[in-house]
Amino acid sequence: MSRIRTVLAATTILAALVTAGCGGGKASAPPAASSSASAGAATPSTPYVTGVGKLPAAAILARAKAALAAAGSVRVKGSVTSEDGKPTTMDLALTRTAGRSTIGFSGGRLTVIVIGRTAYFQGDDAFWKASATDARQGAAYAAMFRGKWLKTTAGDKRFGDFSDLANMKAFVAELETPGAAKTGPRVVDGVNCIGLVGDDGSTLWIDQVSGRPVRGTSPGAGTGLAFTDYDRVPAPTAPPPDLVIDATALH
């Protein structure tokens, strides 16, 4: 499975606490929108190859990763569908120093805030029940952690790699796809893009002028993930202290 698909479906990240498969079928066509368009650029009516699009696939990916890493902030939002037909929604607000991400899957929702090396996790009742070994334990977890945030370090192995979803550096590092092939050009979200297709059919659409990712699509249903609000996402703040539980004290 390509690393682009790993980012889109977050399979390696979600696998720590849930079973998330990869969808099949052909990648869905990205919808038209305008929030990702380059500032001051007219929306092209006909796609054409230019700038970044003239580079080989490996160089395009390197340019996209560099452009994403150089951004002060970005929002990544959308949905994909797992192999068993269940939707996974993602809303990631990433800055260079902090991030806040909400992931919905299997009827549950998890919100992660990472500020430096400190991570905060808040799950809803459905999330905690799904994380338990049986119904009784799930009910106890839900009651204990309802409305609360668990505070720990970003590298706490008990939470798998969930904190990576609120860490821009880690997210950029996941943007890999060995053997990717170019596709397009195509106008995606109002931007003249070139695409990189992974061996599983996932596609990362990249602005041919700025080199920034615009949208990722994966096989199966779902909107894919839109990259928007570059340099406009405010850094998140820590939860109120009275709602925080020190997870390092839990065993």
Side-chain angles (χ1 to χ4, degrees), residues 41-173:
T43 301
S45 58
T46 303
Y48 56 93
V49 175
T50 186
V52 174
K54 296 181 179 180
L55 300 174
I60 293 173
L61 180 60
R63 183 72 65 88
K65 292 181 68 172
L68 183 57
S73 62
V74 66
R75 187 177 189 187
V76 184
K77 183 178 181 180
S79 64
V80 294
T81 301
S82 65
E83 190 175 52
D84 58 5
K86 296 180 179 179
T88 297
T89 61
M90 303 174 69
D91 188 353
L92 285 53
L94 307 174
T95 75
R96 291 182 183 178
T97 59
R100 179 181 178 122
S101 301
T102 299
I103 309 98
F105 51 92
S106 298
R109 184 179 69 253
L110 175 70
T111 299
V112 183
I113 297 175
V114 174
I115 302 174
R117 292 297 302 164
T118 302
Y120 301 88
F121 298 86
Q122 184 184 69
D124 63 5
D125 285 7
F127 171 83
W128 291 118
K129 290 176 180 178
S131 303
T133 56
D134 55 51
R136 183 175 180 179
Q137 185 185 66
Y141 282 176
M144 182 184 306
F145 300 131
R146 186 172 296 128
K148 301 294 185 178
W149 293 85
L150 292 180
K151 178 182 178 181
T152 185
T153 61
D156 191 329
K157 298 303 182 183
R158 291 174 298 173
F159 294 90
D161 296 320
F162 275 98
S163 59
D164 285 354
L165 284 174
N167 183 305
M168 178 179 277
K169 184 176 181 180
F171 187 83
V172 173

